[in-house]
Amino acid sequence: PIGTGIGDQADTAYNVNADVAAGRIAGELKAARVLFLTDIAGVLDKEMKLLRNLTCKDIQGLIDDGTITGGMIPKVTYATSAVELGVESAFITDGRIPHALLNQVLGSAQQQDDAEGGGTIVTL
């Protein structure tokens, strides 16, 4: 499913963080994967090179050592939460790349590895 970042309660609309909603919905559904879009290639190391595969444990270490900072912290936190709730994998990729979602959902593993921008896969 695709969810929106709008919550509604008693005639009041709330702006809900879409990453929180996506991660939680995917986790509750035990989805095969959840996709998070960002404005960079994925999770980057300190030399700004893409980290293609990370575990939940790797992510905590990268936050602790200052590799993952700023706005990427909530995104990887929600990706980790989704995986810990039962999602097989979370994918963080650059939403500016044309067809980024379609490439991930419909493409083969080889196409995903070769795709410009690549992305980061988060697993247990």
Side-chain angles (χ1 to χ4, degrees):
I2 297 175
T4 65
I6 303 295
D8 183 24
Q9 181 178 359
D11 298 325
T12 303
Y14 295 95
N15 182 6
V16 178
N17 183 305
D19 292 336
V20 173
R24 185 60 187 228
I25 291 167
E28 293 298 326
L29 293 174
K30 306 293 188 247
R33 67 183 149 200
V34 61
L35 293 92
F36 297 93
L37 298 179
T38 186
D39 61 355
I40 59 174
V43 181
L44 307 177
D45 66 15
K46 289 184 179 179
E47 287 76 41
M48 304 305 284
K49 293 185 180 163
L50 180 65
L51 298 170
R52 289 194 177 268
N53 295 287
L54 294 172
T55 65
C56 296
K57 184 183 269 189
D58 294 334
I59 287 172
Q60 188 56 54
L62 293 169
I63 291 170
D64 291 345
D65 76 9
T67 300
I68 298 175
T69 61
M72 186 57 73
I73 291 175
K75 198 166 291 286
V76 297
T77 300
Y78 305 135
T80 298
S81 294
V83 170
E84 289 172 343
L85 283 170
V87 175
E88 292 177 28
S89 64
F91 188 69
I92 301 169
T93 194
D94 192 339
R96 300 171 302 169
I97 302 293
H99 313 296
L101 282 176
L102 288 174
N103 290 338
Q104 174 53 214
V105 173
L106 301 176
S108 69
Q110 184 62 43
Q111 287 173 315
Q112 293 163 16
D113 285 343
D114 293 341
E116 181 184 343
T120 301
I121 297 172
V122 178
T123 58
L124 277 177

